[in-house]
Amino acid sequence: MELLAPAGNVEKLAYAYQYGADAAYIGLKKFSLRVKADNFYADEYKAVVALKKQFPDRSLHCALNIAFHNREIDAFLAQIDYFKQYPIDAFIVQDLGVVPILQKHFPQAHLHVSTQASVMNREAVKMYQSLGFDRVVLGREVSLAEVREIKDAVPDMEIECFAHGAMCIAYSGRCLMSAYLTGRSAQSGFCSHTCRWDYDVLADAKKIAESGALFLRERKRPDALFPVYEGDDFTAVLSSKDLRMIEHLDDMRRAGVDSIKIEGRMKSVYYVAMVTRAYRKALDALAGTITAEEAAPFIASLDEVAHRESTTGFFYGRAEADKTTVGASDSPYELAGRVGAEYDAAQTDVVFAAGADMLAAHAREREAMHPKARAAAEKDAAAHPEKCPAALQRRDGWHLYPYTSYNKTEAGTELELITPDVLKIVLGAERYVFANPKNGAIISFVNPDHDCALYTDLVIPAGALVRTKDTGYEDGVIRKTGR
């Protein structure tokens, strides 16, 4: 089975490929159902082309899955020459109006039916095949038994199914709640995730809801009960659990699924890397290229990624899909940064030389002081050595890397590195130093706007991610993180 990962920007695309995706799906700004993702625009196509050359065996899918109005068709046509610069292998669409346009201007690209089209039966699959589609992303309401029936009826049509990520409470994501409550249409890519919000149950019903005995029931369907639970400051009515099928990939394969899809173009680089890596290892174990024991720790690491309670959705029956949950996604870790390719010898020499120059300049300034001022400065330095400039000093067996910070991290914080094939490596305070590569100075903390390098005794592959433990995380406790 193909592993298809999300990529909300160029960086996430690189990590999707590096951490094991066979294919990744992106969105083009204004024409994707995830407009709040960074998506792709401007001259980013150059970086995408470079990535495809770096990973020549990987595919690139483009989600062009909004419901188009006339103005949006016109806008797409006006920019079509720009979009042709992307090395797109397949388009994911729900609106049949764009099909002739894509067939004319992108004759080599495959056509995939979006899950937004709610394809759930063999006759619909046959119809889309007759229109030139090569693959259908089945609606999430389809069971594995139905997948098998569809595959048997249309064996030469590729079947793609979501296997992991957030589930929409609406039918294949076609929701009107967001537009109703906020004026932001989910069908134009502006979903405000109103189904995840916390709602109050008013009046005396609150006490009943707190008991767990309150249900929603449509009056003409007395046997269909929908539980409502009132917590301390919220009510969960519509918030679905996250989909997780990593333990059931063999069932998906035997049902005829050709591609498993991870949801999450709006998720973080850390999410993309960790989830893609876990499913890569699970698929490799299924194929027999690694053992189940080797894959198990990577699968277990999914709990270290932001998530809600999980479910198998509709794959084994509706009962699981009907279960709701409360709270936002949460994780015991925060993404701290990423490590670049190691500085070569010449680059390293430049950093150390800059540090020596900095110390020499400081010494000259000290010498130029009036003797009394110099004595006072030396006394203060002895009392507060942390104020004194410190430069990197060479250590045998240590390596220097460019470091991109995503969150403020204090020097001395225990770091954990993850790579595509290493579960984690712990770096204690004694094993690394943060430095400014421009002047060679040792620095006490890093921020996203800092120039930073990581000096360590560890050999680190380029693209390794660095995480730190979230001190505010409590296992089993839902934190108040807002909407």
CSV table of all heavy atoms in Angstrom, one decimal, residues 244-274:
chain,number,residue,atom,x,y,z
A,244,ARG,N,-7.6,6.2,13.8
A,244,ARG,CA,-6.3,5.5,14.0
A,244,ARG,C,-6.5,4.1,13.5
A,244,ARG,O,-7.2,3.3,14.2
A,244,ARG,CB,-5.9,5.6,15.4
A,244,ARG,CG,-4.6,4.8,15.7
A,244,ARG,CD,-4.1,4.9,17.1
A,244,ARG,NE,-3.1,4.0,17.5
A,244,ARG,CZ,-2.1,4.2,18.3
A,244,ARG,NH1,-1.9,5.4,18.8
A,244,ARG,NH2,-1.2,3.3,18.6
A,245,MET,N,-5.8,3.8,12.4
A,245,MET,CA,-5.9,2.4,11.8
A,245,MET,C,-4.6,1.7,11.8
A,245,MET,O,-4.5,0.7,11.1
A,245,MET,CB,-6.6,2.5,10.5
A,245,MET,CG,-8.1,2.8,10.5
A,245,MET,SD,-9.1,1.5,11.2
A,245,MET,CE,-8.9,0.3,9.9
A,246,ILE,N,-3.6,2.2,12.5
A,246,ILE,CA,-2.3,1.6,12.4
A,246,ILE,C,-2.2,0.2,12.8
A,246,ILE,O,-1.4,-0.6,12.3
A,246,ILE,CB,-1.2,2.5,13.1
A,246,ILE,CG1,0.2,2.2,12.6
A,246,ILE,CG2,-1.4,2.4,14.6
A,246,ILE,CD1,1.2,3.2,13.0
A,247,GLU,N,-3.1,-0.2,13.7
A,247,GLU,CA,-3.1,-1.6,14.2
A,247,GLU,C,-3.9,-2.5,13.3
A,247,GLU,O,-4.0,-3.7,13.5
A,247,GLU,CB,-3.7,-1.7,15.6
A,247,GLU,CG,-2.8,-1.1,16.7
A,247,GLU,CD,-3.0,0.4,16.9
A,247,GLU,OE1,-3.9,1.0,16.2
A,247,GLU,OE2,-2.3,1.0,17.7
A,248,HIS,N,-4.5,-1.9,12.2
A,248,HIS,CA,-5.4,-2.7,11.3
A,248,HIS,C,-5.0,-2.5,9.9
A,248,HIS,O,-5.9,-2.7,9.0
A,248,HIS,CB,-6.9,-2.2,11.6
A,248,HIS,CG,-7.3,-2.1,13.0
A,248,HIS,ND1,-7.7,-3.2,13.7
A,248,HIS,CD2,-7.3,-1.1,13.9
A,248,HIS,CE1,-8.0,-2.9,14.9
A,248,HIS,NE2,-7.8,-1.6,15.1
A,249,LEU,N,-3.8,-2.3,9.6
A,249,LEU,CA,-3.4,-2.1,8.2
A,249,LEU,C,-3.5,-3.3,7.3
A,249,LEU,O,-3.8,-3.2,6.1
A,249,LEU,CB,-1.9,-1.6,8.1
A,249,LEU,CG,-1.7,-0.2,8.8
A,249,LEU,CD1,-0.2,0.2,8.6
A,249,LEU,CD2,-2.6,0.9,8.2
A,250,ASP,N,-3.3,-4.5,7.9
A,250,ASP,CA,-3.5,-5.7,7.2
A,250,ASP,C,-5.0,-5.9,6.7
A,250,ASP,O,-5.2,-6.3,5.6
A,250,ASP,CB,-3.1,-6.9,8.0
A,250,ASP,CG,-3.0,-8.2,7.2
A,250,ASP,OD1,-2.6,-8.1,6.0
A,250,ASP,OD2,-3.3,-9.3,7.7
A,251,ASP,N,-5.9,-5.5,7.6
A,251,ASP,CA,-7.3,-5.5,7.2
A,251,ASP,C,-7.6,-4.6,6.0
A,251,ASP,O,-8.4,-4.9,5.1
A,251,ASP,CB,-8.2,-5.1,8.4
A,251,ASP,CG,-8.3,-6.2,9.4
A,251,ASP,OD1,-7.8,-7.3,9.2
A,251,ASP,OD2,-8.8,-5.9,10.5
A,252,MET,N,-7.0,-3.4,6.1
A,252,MET,CA,-7.1,-2.5,5.0
A,252,MET,C,-6.5,-3.0,3.7
A,252,MET,O,-7.1,-2.9,2.6
A,252,MET,CB,-6.5,-1.1,5.3
A,252,MET,CG,-7.1,-0.4,6.5
A,252,MET,SD,-6.5,1.2,6.8
A,252,MET,CE,-7.3,2.2,5.5
A,253,ARG,N,-5.4,-3.6,3.8
A,253,ARG,CA,-4.8,-4.2,2.6
A,253,ARG,C,-5.7,-5.3,2.0
A,253,ARG,O,-5.9,-5.4,0.8
A,253,ARG,CB,-3.4,-4.8,2.9
A,253,ARG,CG,-2.7,-5.4,1.8
A,253,ARG,CD,-1.3,-6.0,2.2
A,253,ARG,NE,-1.5,-7.1,3.1
A,253,ARG,CZ,-0.5,-7.9,3.6
A,253,ARG,NH1,0.7,-7.6,3.2
A,253,ARG,NH2,-0.8,-8.9,4.4
A,254,ARG,N,-6.2,-6.2,2.9
A,254,ARG,CA,-7.0,-7.3,2.4
A,254,ARG,C,-8.3,-6.8,1.8
A,254,ARG,O,-8.9,-7.5,1.0
A,254,ARG,CB,-7.2,-8.3,3.5
A,254,ARG,CG,-5.9,-9.1,3.8
A,254,ARG,CD,-6.1,-10.3,4.8
A,254,ARG,NE,-6.3,-9.8,6.1
A,254,ARG,CZ,-7.4,-9.9,6.8
A,254,ARG,NH1,-8.5,-10.3,6.2
A,254,ARG,NH2,-7.5,-9.5,8.0
A,255,ALA,N,-8.7,-5.7,2.3
A,255,ALA,CA,-10.0,-5.1,1.7
A,255,ALA,C,-9.8,-4.5,0.3
A,255,ALA,O,-10.8,-4.2,-0.3
A,255,ALA,CB,-10.5,-4.0,2.7
A,256,GLY,N,-8.5,-4.3,-0.1
A,256,GLY,CA,-8.3,-3.8,-1.4
A,256,GLY,C,-7.8,-2.3,-1.4
A,256,GLY,O,-7.8,-1.7,-2.5
A,257,VAL,N,-7.5,-1.8,-0.3
A,257,VAL,CA,-7.0,-0.4,-0.2
A,257,VAL,C,-5.6,-0.3,-0.9
A,257,VAL,O,-4.7,-1.0,-0.5
A,257,VAL,CB,-7.0,0.1,1.2
A,257,VAL,CG1,-6.4,1.5,1.3
A,257,VAL,CG2,-8.4,0.1,1.8
A,258,ASP,N,-5.5,0.6,-1.8
A,258,ASP,CA,-4.2,0.8,-2.5
A,258,ASP,C,-3.3,1.9,-1.8
A,258,ASP,O,-2.1,1.9,-1.9
A,258,ASP,CB,-4.4,1.2,-4.0
A,258,ASP,CG,-5.1,0.1,-4.7
A,258,ASP,OD1,-4.5,-0.9,-5.0
A,258,ASP,OD2,-6.3,0.3,-5.1
A,259,SER,N,-4.0,2.9,-1.2
A,259,SER,CA,-3.2,4.0,-0.6
A,259,SER,C,-3.9,4.3,0.7
A,259,SER,O,-5.1,4.5,0.8
A,259,SER,CB,-3.2,5.2,-1.5
A,259,SER,OG,-2.6,6.3,-0.9
A,260,ILE,N,-3.1,4.5,1.8
A,260,ILE,CA,-3.6,4.9,3.1
A,260,ILE,C,-3.2,6.4,3.3
A,260,ILE,O,-2.0,6.7,3.0
A,260,ILE,CB,-3.1,4.1,4.3
A,260,ILE,CG1,-1.6,4.0,4.4
A,260,ILE,CG2,-3.7,2.7,4.1
A,260,ILE,CD1,-1.1,3.4,5.7
A,261,LYS,N,-4.1,7.2,3.8
A,261,LYS,CA,-3.9,8.6,3.8
A,261,LYS,C,-3.9,9.1,5.2
A,261,LYS,O,-4.8,8.8,6.0
A,261,LYS,CB,-5.0,9.3,3.0
A,261,LYS,CG,-4.8,10.8,2.8
A,261,LYS,CD,-5.9,11.3,1.8
A,261,LYS,CE,-5.6,12.7,1.3
A,261,LYS,NZ,-6.6,13.0,0.2
A,262,ILE,N,-2.9,10.0,5.5
A,262,ILE,CA,-2.8,10.6,6.8
A,262,ILE,C,-3.4,12.0,6.7
A,262,ILE,O,-3.1,12.8,5.8
A,262,ILE,CB,-1.4,10.7,7.3
A,262,ILE,CG1,-0.8,9.4,7.5
A,262,ILE,CG2,-1.3,11.5,8.6
A,262,ILE,CD1,0.7,9.4,7.7
A,263,GLU,N,-4.4,12.4,7.6
A,263,GLU,CA,-5.0,13.7,7.6
A,263,GLU,C,-4.0,14.7,8.3
A,263,GLU,O,-3.3,14.3,9.2
A,263,GLU,CB,-6.3,13.7,8.3
A,263,GLU,CG,-7.0,15.0,8.4
A,263,GLU,CD,-6.6,15.8,9.6
A,263,GLU,OE1,-6.1,15.3,10.6
A,263,GLU,OE2,-6.8,17.1,9.5
A,264,GLY,N,-4.0,16.0,7.9
A,264,GLY,CA,-3.2,16.9,8.7
A,264,GLY,C,-2.4,17.9,8.0
A,264,GLY,O,-1.3,18.2,8.4
A,265,ARG,N,-2.9,18.6,6.9
A,265,ARG,CA,-2.0,19.6,6.3
A,265,ARG,C,-1.9,20.8,7.1
A,265,ARG,O,-1.0,21.7,6.9
A,265,ARG,CB,-2.6,20.0,4.9
A,265,ARG,CG,-2.2,19.0,3.8
A,265,ARG,CD,-2.6,19.5,2.4
A,265,ARG,NE,-4.0,19.5,2.2
A,265,ARG,CZ,-4.8,20.5,1.8
A,265,ARG,NH1,-4.2,21.6,1.5
A,265,ARG,NH2,-6.1,20.4,1.6
A,266,MET,N,-2.7,21.0,8.1
A,266,MET,CA,-2.6,22.1,9.1
A,266,MET,C,-1.8,21.7,10.3
A,266,MET,O,-1.6,22.6,11.2
A,266,MET,CB,-4.0,22.7,9.4
A,266,MET,CG,-4.7,23.3,8.3
A,266,MET,SD,-6.4,23.7,8.6
A,266,MET,CE,-6.2,24.8,10.0
A,267,LYS,N,-1.4,20.5,10.4
A,267,LYS,CA,-0.6,20.1,11.6
A,267,LYS,C,0.8,20.5,11.5
A,267,LYS,O,1.3,20.9,10.4
A,267,LYS,CB,-0.8,18.5,11.7
A,267,LYS,CG,-2.2,18.0,11.9
A,267,LYS,CD,-2.8,18.4,13.3
A,267,LYS,CE,-4.2,17.9,13.4
A,267,LYS,NZ,-4.3,16.5,13.5
A,268,SER,N,1.6,20.3,12.6
A,268,SER,CA,3.0,20.7,12.6
A,268,SER,C,3.9,19.8,11.9
A,268,SER,O,3.6,18.7,11.5
A,268,SER,CB,3.4,20.8,14.1
A,268,SER,OG,3.5,19.5,14.6
A,269,VAL,N,5.1,20.3,11.7
A,269,VAL,CA,6.2,19.5,11.1
A,269,VAL,C,6.4,18.2,12.0
A,269,VAL,O,6.6,17.1,11.5
A,269,VAL,CB,7.5,20.3,11.1
A,269,VAL,CG1,8.7,19.4,10.8
A,269,VAL,CG2,7.4,21.3,10.0
A,270,TYR,N,6.4,18.4,13.3
A,270,TYR,CA,6.5,17.3,14.2
A,270,TYR,C,5.5,16.2,14.0
A,270,TYR,O,5.8,15.0,14.0
A,270,TYR,CB,6.5,17.8,15.7
A,270,TYR,CG,6.6,16.8,16.7
A,270,TYR,CD1,7.8,16.1,16.9
A,270,TYR,CD2,5.5,16.5,17.6
A,270,TYR,CE1,7.9,15.1,18.0
A,270,TYR,CE2,5.6,15.6,18.6
A,270,TYR,CZ,6.8,14.9,18.8
A,270,TYR,OH,6.9,13.9,19.8
A,271,TYR,N,4.2,16.7,13.9
A,271,TYR,CA,3.1,15.7,13.6
A,271,TYR,C,3.4,14.9,12.3
A,271,TYR,O,3.2,13.7,12.3
A,271,TYR,CB,1.8,16.5,13.6
A,271,TYR,CG,0.6,15.6,13.2
A,271,TYR,CD1,-0.2,15.1,14.2
A,271,TYR,CD2,0.2,15.4,11.9
A,271,TYR,CE1,-1.3,14.3,14.0
A,271,TYR,CE2,-0.9,14.6,11.6
A,271,TYR,CZ,-1.6,14.1,12.6
A,271,TYR,OH,-2.7,13.3,12.3
A,272,VAL,N,3.7,15.7,11.3
A,272,VAL,CA,3.9,15.0,10.0
A,272,VAL,C,5.0,14.0,10.0
A,272,VAL,O,4.9,12.9,9.6
A,272,VAL,CB,4.2,16.1,8.9
A,272,VAL,CG1,4.6,15.4,7.6
A,272,VAL,CG2,3.0,17.0,8.6
A,273,ALA,N,6.1,14.4,10.7
A,273,ALA,CA,7.3,13.5,10.8
A,273,ALA,C,6.9,12.2,11.6
A,273,ALA,O,7.2,11.1,11.2
A,273,ALA,CB,8.5,14.2,11.3
A,274,MET,N,6.4,12.4,12.8
A,274,MET,CA,6.2,11.3,13.7
A,274,MET,C,5.1,10.4,13.2
A,274,MET,O,5.3,9.1,13.3
A,274,MET,CB,5.7,11.9,15.1
A,274,MET,CG,6.8,12.6,15.8
A,274,MET,SD,8.0,11.5,16.5
A,274,MET,CE,7.1,10.8,17.9
